[in-house]
Amino acid sequence: MLDARFTREHINIVEEALLSRNHPWDSSAFLTADARRRELIAESEALKAKRNTSSKHIGELMKAEKKEEAALAREEVRLWGEQISALDEELAAVEESLNTELLWLPNLPSDSTPKGAGEEDNVEVRSWGTPRQFDFEPKAHWDLGTELGIIDFERAVKLAKSRFVLLGGLGASLERALINFMADTHISRGYKEWWGPVLANSETLTGTGNLPKFEEDLFKTTEGLYLIPTAEVMLTNIHRDEILDAADLPLRYCAFTACFREEAGSAGRDTRGLIRVHQFDKVEMVKFAHPDDSLAQLESMVADAENILQLLELPYRVIELCTGDLGFASAKTYDLEVWLPSYEDYKEISSCSNCGDFQARRANIRLRDEAAGGKPQFLHTLNGSGVAVGRTMAAILENNQRADGSVAIPKVLQPYLRGIEEIR
């Protein structure tokens, strides 16, 4: 959420920044409402000051036994009270309107985020590994998984609907192995693991920026709770309405959860296999950082996600997103894209973002830095996939397949799979 004062005082900068994100914004309604808000506050405070002064004067009149004058003064105070109530009621409505306006605005890009109109302007930062050259016709993971008896798409549809997945045998074991491997690896690098609800209330989803803008992408219960789209929602809100000690930062959290997304508007895009489904598993990373340190913490988070792919020996590349391709809450983002032979291209498997104080302002998460005077200030939040489990399974199946239809298990996963070295 953008700061209202900063937005008012730097309106041209905000408009230009939002335009660079392909989010043109007419600020006139905001400026009109903000001006009215300040007028209402000034009028209300002036009347409250007069009421306080008059109340003291009434006491003096009563002591002097000037009852008629005191009665007139009381009537005047009563009328002021009614005016104050009316002003405060209008002020509440104006502030709600301003808050709603700001809740729908995306974050401002970091100064270090490259300018660009869209995906075509993203910047490749580096790559790791070499895509494998097959001496046979490689198969897509949806065919491999079906033939190996580890992925069953048809029965998943019977159990739920299209774009759900049923894993069996070593497919289920591989999913569990990947989750444990990823969680253990992040814990070894300083992350604290959490286990939390997969249902969240509206305040929690508003805190991370999923509501109100992306409500159509969420599964909602009849009780008003939502199935989380990522563990970022739960992890970030652990410290909602709290003040953290700057000396304790950065905090590094991770969690495995199932993730649920309606994927509204994505029909026809990556709907085969494990790439874009309604329910998937992910190990998520979240950091709470000092504003002076958050860019460095983003780089280390990217390294943590890269470490997973390197240990699995999967070729990938790191892409820095331009302003026109940033996610709603992000100020700066790196995507990790893994090589998938079925696409003859790289596909996103992790997205690591620095949200600045955007989520912290929405969720009221602050820090107190005694070295800087001790006044509470908003900290910075970061999040990243560490990584998407289903897409990792797809990458393992496709990159490690053999001519006879079997698939080699990465060495780092074998201890998690009872020493099994291959699926056939």
Side-chain angles (χ1 to χ4, degrees):
M1 186 173 185
L2 304 185
D3 176 59
R5 180 175 179 179
F6 177 88
T7 302
R8 178 180 71 246
E9 295 178 353
H10 303 86
I11 196 69
N12 292 334
I13 293 175
V14 171
E15 286 181 332
E16 183 179 346
L18 292 177
L19 189 60
S20 76
R21 294 189 50 121
N22 299 319
H23 189 97
W25 178 50
D26 182 359
S27 62
S28 57
F30 168 83
L31 291 174
T32 299
D34 186 71
R36 181 55 181 158
R37 171 184 170 274
R38 286 179 286 136
E39 289 174 359
L40 289 167
I41 290 173
E43 291 176 25
S44 178
E45 289 181 348
L47 283 175
K48 288 174 182 176
K50 290 173 67 174
R51 183 178 63 180
N52 292 340
T53 300
S54 185
S55 295
K56 293 178 181 178
H57 182 54
I58 290 171
E60 294 171 356
L61 291 174
M62 292 299 293
K63 289 180 181 179
E65 296 187 354
K66 298 179 179 179
K67 295 182 180 180
E68 291 185 6
E69 291 183 41
L72 290 172
R74 282 198 191 93
E75 178 61 16
E76 192 173 39
V77 166
R78 186 188 67 78
L79 292 173
W80 287 340
E82 291 179 354
Q83 293 178 50
I84 291 169
S85 295
L87 289 170
D88 287 348
E89 185 176 338
E90 183 183 352
L91 177 61
V94 170
E95 287 182 335
E96 183 178 355
S97 173
L98 279 171
N99 189 60
T100 300
E101 179 83 7
L102 292 174
L103 283 175
W104 281 85
L105 292 180
N107 199 359
L108 304 183
S110 166
D111 291 338
S112 62
T113 296
K115 297 286 194 302
E119 183 179 352
E120 65 279 1
D121 294 320
N122 293 339
V123 179
E124 182 173 332
V125 178
R126 58 185 171 272
S127 62
W128 186 93
T130 303
R132 179 181 169 189
Q133 298 298 313
F134 293 90
D135 55 8
F136 60 91
E137 187 66 29
K139 296 178 180 179
H141 68 273
W142 51 83
D143 292 326
L144 277 167
T146 301
E147 292 171 7
L148 290 168
I150 63 174
I151 306 177
D152 193 325
F153 296 103
E154 292 183 3
R155 288 192 174 99
V157 174
K158 180 174 68 174
L159 295 173
K161 65 176 184 177
S162 62
R163 293 166 68 183
F164 281 87
V165 176
L166 178 64
L167 303 176
L170 286 178
S173 296
L174 180 56
E175 183 88 356
R176 183 160 46 86
L178 283 166
I179 292 166
N180 288 332
F181 157 68
M182 291 174 188
D184 287 349
T185 302
H186 291 312
I187 291 168
S188 73
R189 291 167 76 92
Y191 287 80
K192 178 179 180 178
E193 185 180 18
W194 292 85
W195 182 273
V198 294
L199 287 169
N201 57 38
S202 59
E203 292 83 2
T204 296
L205 285 150
T206 300
T208 45
N210 300 89
L211 288 178
K213 185 174 177 61
F214 301 105
E215 183 164 15
E216 68 171 3
D217 288 327
L218 302 172
F219 286 100
K220 186 177 182 180
T221 73
T222 55
E223 295 181 352
L225 295 175
Y226 298 83
L227 286 164
I228 62 171
T230 166
E232 169 202 342
V233 171
M234 177 263 290
L235 290 174
T236 303
N237 280 275
I238 287 174
H239 295 298
R240 189 171 77 232
D241 295 322
E242 294 182 18
I243 300 176
L244 306 180
D245 191 330
D248 295 331
L249 302 180
L251 296 178
R252 301 176 180 89
Y253 292 166
C254 72
F256 150 70
T257 63
C259 305
F260 305 87
R261 298 181 187 179
E262 282 275 15
E263 296 287 4
S266 64
R269 297 178 55 206
D270 302 328
T271 54
R272 294 194 70 184
L274 304 173
I275 302 303
R276 193 177 293 274
V277 291
H278 291 306
Q279 176 186 334
F280 59 95
D281 293 329
K282 185 152 66 83
V283 175
E284 184 77 0
M285 303 176 289
V286 161
K287 289 186 179 182
F288 300 87
H290 193 287
D292 296 341
D293 187 43
S294 66
L295 287 176
Q297 290 302 322
L298 176 61
E299 299 296 332
S300 69
M301 177 178 279
V302 174
D304 292 331
E306 287 187 76
N307 179 55
I308 296 292
L309 298 180
Q310 290 176 12
L311 290 172
L312 292 170
E313 301 182 81
L314 293 172
Y316 69 89
R317 66 182 183 182
V318 179
I319 303 294
E320 183 172 8
L321 302 193
C322 69
T323 54
D325 201 31
L326 285 176
F328 181 78
S330 175
K332 186 178 181 68
T333 294
Y334 293 101
D335 276 0
L336 274 63
E337 298 179 345
V338 70
W339 177 259
L340 283 180
S342 61
Y343 288 84
E344 296 185 345
D345 200 358
Y346 292 92
K347 297 296 291 184
E348 179 193 333
I349 198 168
S350 173
S351 188
C352 298
S353 299
N354 183 349
C355 297
D357 65 6
F358 186 80
Q359 291 179 328
R361 191 178 301 279
R362 295 169 77 106
N364 191 31
I365 311 170
R366 295 176 290 171
L367 66 86
R368 179 177 282 109
D369 188 349
E370 297 297 343
K375 183 179 179 180
Q377 60 177 304
F378 292 109
L379 47 70
H380 284 190
T381 63
L382 302 90
N383 63 79
S385 305
V387 291
V389 178
R391 295 189 178 198
T392 305
M393 182 184 293
I396 289 172
L397 294 177
E398 293 195 8
N399 286 285
N400 290 12
Q401 61 182 294
R402 298 169 177 153
D404 65 358
S406 63
V407 174
I409 300 296
K411 290 182 179 179
V412 74
L413 288 181
Q414 292 173 17
Y416 292 91
L417 281 166
R418 307 176 295 282
I420 294 172
E421 298 179 359
E422 63 180 9
I423 302 175
R424 66 168 53 249

